[in-house]
Amino acid sequence: MINEEIAHIFSSIADILELKNDNPFRIRAYRKAALVVTDLAEDADKMIEAGRLSGVPGIGKDLHAKIEEYVHTGKIATFEELKKEFPQGVLDILYIPGVGPKTAKLLYETYGINSIEKLEDYANSGKIKGIKGIKEKTVANILKGIALKKSIQGRFPLGTALPIGETIIGELKSVKGVSTIELAGSIRRRKETVGDIDILVTSDDPGPLMDRFVNMKEIERVLSHGSTRSSALLRDTHIQVDVRVVEKDSFGAAMAYFTGSKSHNIKLREIAIKTGCKLNEYGVFNVKNNKKIAGATEQDVYRALGLQWVPPEIREDQGEIELALDHRLPELIIDKDIRGDVHMHTVYSDGDRTAEQMAQHAQGLGYEYIAITDHSQSLGVAGGLDPERLKVQIREIDGLNQKLKRIKILKGMEVDILSDGSLDMDPGLLDRLDIVIGSVHSGFKQPKEKITMRMVKAMETGLVDVIGHPSGRLIGERDAYEVDWDAVFKSAQNMHVAMEINAYPLRLDLTDAMIKKARTYGLKFVITTDSHDPNQMRYMSYGVSVARRGWLGKDDVVNTKRYKDILTWLKGDR
Ligand SMILES: [Zn+2]
Ligand SMILES: [Zn+2]
C-alpha cells in the first residue's frame, strides 16, 4: 500500500505544480513517476532496502531520494511545503474533468472559489459566465464534470480497492487463530467501483485479530473496535473497511449474505421460503423445526436451496438464478484460459521497455504469445510510429521470433482511427501485420453519428481485427463518447471484428453491460492489458473479471486460443 501512498503524493505534487505554472517537464516527471510507482510489482520500501529501485525507468535520482524520504519519515518535505500554497478544495476542483489548472487558479484567485460546492453554485447561478477567459462551453463542461465526479462519489475504482483489500487480508491471515479470511461484498463480485471493503473471518480467538486490524499502519481512523466486528477508515483513500468474525458453521451463509447483490439475495430468500426454509446470514433453516440445514460453505447453502453454486461476478439477478435452478449456468472464463496478451506498447511509442523485455516478462507469466501494438504517428504525444519506423520494428520482431524460443511475438499496431474514419497508416503495411487494433484517441466530443461513422468506416477497410477500448471512458475521469452501439456491433459482426476488453484498471472498457450487448451480435472479444510497462501485465485478471461479469466463456475470447489458432483467426479464417 506504500506504493499507492507515494503515487498519490507524486500526482498531488504534479497538480500543485500545474496550478503554479511550473516547468512542464518537472510536472510530467512527477506524473510519470506516480504511474511507475503504482505499477511496481513490489513494495517500494522493500525495493529500496534491496537496492532494486534505482534503475527503474521513470525514477531518477531526485525522485528516488523523495521515495526514500517517505519510506524513512512518512513524509515528503517538498509536498508539505507545496500543500500550504493552495487549499485542498482548489485541488479537488482541479480533479474535476473539464477544469484545467488555468481555470482552477483563475477561479480561486479572482473569486475565491475554493470548493466544488462553491464552484457548482457559481456555475449554476451563471455567476462565472461573464469571467474573462471562461467560455459558455466551459461552464457546461464544468457542470458535466461535477456530475461525473459525483456519480462515483463515495465509491472507489476496483483497481484502487482490490489491492488494498488483498494487502489487508495478507496481513491478517497470519494472526494466530485465524482459519479462513476472505473478501465479500461488491469487491468480491468485482464491480468496477466499490463502496467499501468487507472482510469475513473465522477465528478461534478473535481478540488478537481485532487488535491487529485496528492497529494496522494503513488505518487513519478507527470507527469501531468490537470483539467480533471492527471498522476503520484507511489513510489517503478514506475507504471504509469492515472486518467481521463469524462462526465456522455460518461462514458460507455469511459470505453469500455479505457478497450480495441485494437483488440476488432477495431472490434466494424467496426460493428458500417456497421450499419451507428460511435463509439468513447464519444459514439455511427448516421453518418447521428451526433445524439448520446448511451454512458452513456457500456450496452447501446453494445446494440446500436446490441451486448450482453461482460465481460471485454474476450475482446480479439477471437470469443467473433461473439457470442455477436448472443447473445450466454457463462456464465462465478464468485467468488461466488466457494464452497471450495482445495489446502492449514499447519504447517505439510511449512504452517503457523493448519488445524483447516485454516478451521475456510475458514468458515468465506463462504466456504462449504477446502482440506488440505501438501507436501510430498521429498520436504525437505518444511518439507514434510512421511507416518507416514501423518497418524497422517489423524487422526487429522478425529477428526476435528467431531468437526467442519459448514465446512468440505477433506483429501489430494500435492504429488511430482518424477524425474522418480513415486509418493512420499505409494499408499495405497494416496488411503485413498479424494484428491491427483500431482505436479512437481524438475527437471525443464529436456528435454521435460522426464517431459511429468513424468506427464503422475503419472496420469496413477490412484491415482492423479489434476495436481498442471501444467506449473511451476512464472511470470517474472521462465519460464514454457517444456511439450508436447497435450500428458499431452490426458492422463488427459483418466484418468479423473483435471488441477489446481493456483490463487497465481505469478503463475496464468494454463494460460488463456492453459485453452482454455485444455478445447478442455474436461478437468475439480479446482481453488485453494495454501495458506500457511489464508490471502492468498483471492487470489481466481485472479484464477477466469484467468478462466474467459479462457472462463470457473461454470460447468467446480470442486470446484463449493457441498461437497457431489465433494466427489463423487473425488471418481471416473466422
Ligand atoms: Zn489506446
Ligand atoms: Zn494502447
Side-chain angles (χ1 to χ4, degrees):
M1 209 162 335
I2 188 163
N3 294 356
E4 280 83 9
E5 289 164 15
I6 294 168
H8 178 79
I9 293 177
F10 281 172
S11 55
S12 303
I13 291 179
D15 293 336
I16 301 175
L17 291 177
E18 264 200 91
L19 282 174
K20 289 177 51 127
N21 222 344
D22 206 274
N23 178 344
F25 289 102
R26 193 163 165 227
I27 296 169
R28 213 174 301 151
Y30 275 110
R31 290 224 187 281
K32 171 89 195 174
L35 289 178
V36 170
V37 173
T38 309
D39 291 332
L40 291 173
E42 214 184 331
D43 287 339
D45 48 351
K46 290 196 191 94
M47 291 184 76
I48 286 202
E49 210 176 293
R52 274 196 296 274
L53 192 65
S54 29
V56 170
I59 306 289
K61 252 198 193 139
D62 178 56
L63 289 162
H64 189 280
K66 292 206 165 55
I67 296 173
E68 243 181 314
E69 184 187 349
Y70 188 79
V71 167
H72 293 138
T73 67
K75 270 187 194 148
I76 294 176
T78 313
F79 180 51
E80 298 303 315
E81 283 308 309
L82 282 169
K83 258 199 303 196
K84 292 177 193 155
E85 299 188 32
F86 294 94
Q88 181 60 41
V90 179
L91 296 180
D92 292 342
I93 289 174
L94 193 62
Y95 296 139
I96 298 172
V99 182
K102 255 195 207 131
T103 311
K105 199 174 166 194
L106 181 74
L107 292 169
Y108 173 56
E109 287 177 348
T110 323
Y111 297 90
I113 296 177
N114 57 5
S115 70
I116 293 182
E117 292 68 36
K118 210 165 177 181
L119 175 62
E120 194 176 13
D121 181 42
Y122 267 65
N124 273 324
S125 64
K127 271 188 254 174
I128 54 174
K129 226 188 264 170
I131 299 176
K132 206 176 144 220
I134 294 189
K135 293 185 218 122
E136 192 141 336
K137 223 171 146 193
T138 315
V139 180
N141 283 338
I142 288 174
L143 286 170
K144 235 181 169 177
I146 292 176
L148 182 63
K149 262 283 169 293
K150 278 193 175 160
S151 71
I152 73 153
Q153 208 163 50
R155 297 190 70 81
F156 304 89
L158 182 66
T160 306
L162 185 57
I164 296 175
E166 282 169 346
T167 308
I168 295 173
I169 289 209
E171 194 165 330
L172 296 182
K173 209 190 259 172
S174 61
V175 178
K176 217 177 126 241
V178 170
S179 42
T180 316
I181 176 160
E182 293 207 40
L183 290 166
S186 49
I187 206 171
R188 181 167 175 239
R189 302 202 317 278
R190 300 290 191 264
K191 276 202 76 163
E192 63 181 38
T193 60
V194 303
D196 51 17
I197 299 177
D198 291 307
I199 296 174
L200 295 184
V201 196
T202 60
S203 168
D204 301 328
D205 185 10
L209 170 78
M210 289 291 132
D211 291 343
R212 174 76 159 266
F213 170 59
V214 298
N215 286 303
M216 284 181 73
K217 67 176 188 336
E218 288 84 358
I219 280 168
E220 180 172 292
R221 189 148 60 93
V222 177
L223 301 171
S224 69
H225 180 182
S227 56
T228 58
R229 186 187 161 188
S230 296
S231 36
L233 288 183
L234 296 175
R235 255 170 35 188
D236 294 328
T237 54
H238 299 132
I239 301 180
Q240 182 171 334
V241 184
D242 293 318
V243 179
R244 285 186 185 81
V245 178
V246 300
E247 295 298 328
K248 276 185 190 150
D249 68 348
S250 296
F251 186 73
M255 282 295 281
Y257 181 85
F258 287 107
T259 296
S261 67
K262 216 176 236 164
S263 48
H264 178 89
N265 285 353
I266 289 172
K267 271 254 171 88
L268 287 187
R269 284 201 291 276
E270 285 169 4
I271 290 170
I273 291 165
K274 271 187 208 146
T275 52
C277 298
K278 190 180 80 186
L279 168 69
N280 58 28
E281 60 185 285
Y282 305 103
V284 183
F285 300 85
N286 187 322
V287 174
K288 268 187 206 145
N289 51 18
N290 218 17
K291 232 185 105 190
K292 187 162 174 170
I293 307 167
T297 71
E298 271 194 345
Q299 274 78 3
D300 294 345
V301 169
Y302 279 92
R303 198 181 306 127
L305 300 175
L307 271 78
Q308 212 179 338
W309 177 80
V310 179
E313 294 91 338
I314 61 171
R315 295 184 193 172
E316 301 289 348
D317 186 22
Q318 292 182 352
E320 76 280 7
I321 291 182
E322 292 72 12
L323 287 173
L325 275 169
D326 277 354
H327 290 253
R328 286 196 299 125
L329 279 176
E331 200 170 316
L332 304 179
I333 185 169
I334 55 172
D335 288 352
K336 279 209 182 99
D337 291 331
I338 302 290
R339 290 186 193 270
D341 193 343
V342 292
H343 180 168
M344 61 181 73
H345 299 269
T346 72
V347 288
Y348 272 83
S349 64
D350 56 350
D352 285 337
R353 303 292 172 105
T354 63
E356 183 167 13
Q357 287 169 320
M358 295 303 264
Q360 273 162 348
H361 188 85
Q363 186 181 306
L365 297 177
Y367 287 144
E368 274 182 46
Y369 53 85
I370 57 167
I372 296 296
T373 55
D374 275 307
H375 290 290
S376 58
Q377 57 188 332
S378 83
L379 205 59
V381 284
L385 298 184
D386 59 27
E388 285 315 306
R389 288 180 62 230
L390 177 59
K391 279 186 211 156
V392 175
Q393 189 183 48
I394 289 174
R395 275 198 298 278
E396 182 183 311
I397 293 177
D398 282 336
L400 283 172
N401 276 329
Q402 295 291 317
K403 183 174 149 190
L404 301 171
K405 292 284 170 271
R406 285 163 50 211
I407 187 156
K408 289 285 173 205
I409 306 179
L410 299 172
K411 288 165 283 191
M413 167 161 268
E414 181 182 13
V415 65
D416 264 49
I417 299 175
L418 298 173
S419 64
D420 64 352
S422 60
L423 298 175
D424 184 30
M425 180 51 67
D426 297 352
L429 268 176
L430 289 177
D431 205 33
R432 275 175 62 189
L433 298 173
D434 299 315
I435 180 167
V436 175
I437 300 175
S439 294
V440 170
H441 286 128
S442 59
F444 298 133
K445 291 190 178 132
Q446 285 176 344
K448 190 171 175 176
E449 303 73 45
K450 184 98 194 267
I451 299 192
T452 306
M453 175 280 287
R454 284 166 73 185
M455 290 169 90
V456 168
K457 196 172 156 195
M459 287 188 275
E460 283 176 351
T461 60
L463 292 164
V464 171
D465 302 298
V466 177
I467 293 289
H469 40 73
S471 87
R473 68 93 178 250
L474 296 173
I475 298 174
E477 286 182 15
R478 188 171 74 207
D479 264 335
Y481 33 71
E482 292 196 48
V483 174
D484 177 351
W485 288 108
D486 288 299
V488 168
F489 291 160
K490 188 100 196 82
S491 169
Q493 183 187 44
N494 289 336
M495 299 307 297
H496 300 280
V497 172
M499 288 296 130
E500 179 178 66
I501 299 171
N502 191 301
Y504 194 71
L506 258 188
R507 289 192 179 275
L508 303 184
D509 180 9
L510 290 176
T511 63
D512 46 11
M514 296 292 292
I515 292 169
K516 281 187 180 170
K517 186 177 170 78
R519 198 158 170 254
T520 63
Y521 286 85
L523 300 189
K524 297 285 181 197
F525 303 83
V526 295
I527 308 176
T528 76
T529 61
D530 199 354
S531 286
H532 289 67
D533 180 289
N535 286 327
Q536 294 174 347
M537 288 185 211
R538 73 176 191 278
Y539 297 138
M540 183 61 84
S541 65
Y542 287 89
V544 173
S545 301
V546 181
R548 288 170 66 84
R549 288 184 58 84
W551 290 54
L552 296 189
K554 183 181 172 183
D555 292 340
D556 296 309
V557 178
V558 178
N559 53 325
T560 60
K561 292 181 188 291
R562 296 206 153 273
Y563 171 67
K564 280 211 169 67
D565 298 331
I566 193 171
L567 268 190
T568 313
W569 190 89
L570 288 166
K571 287 210 176 89
D573 199 0
R574 302 173 185 177

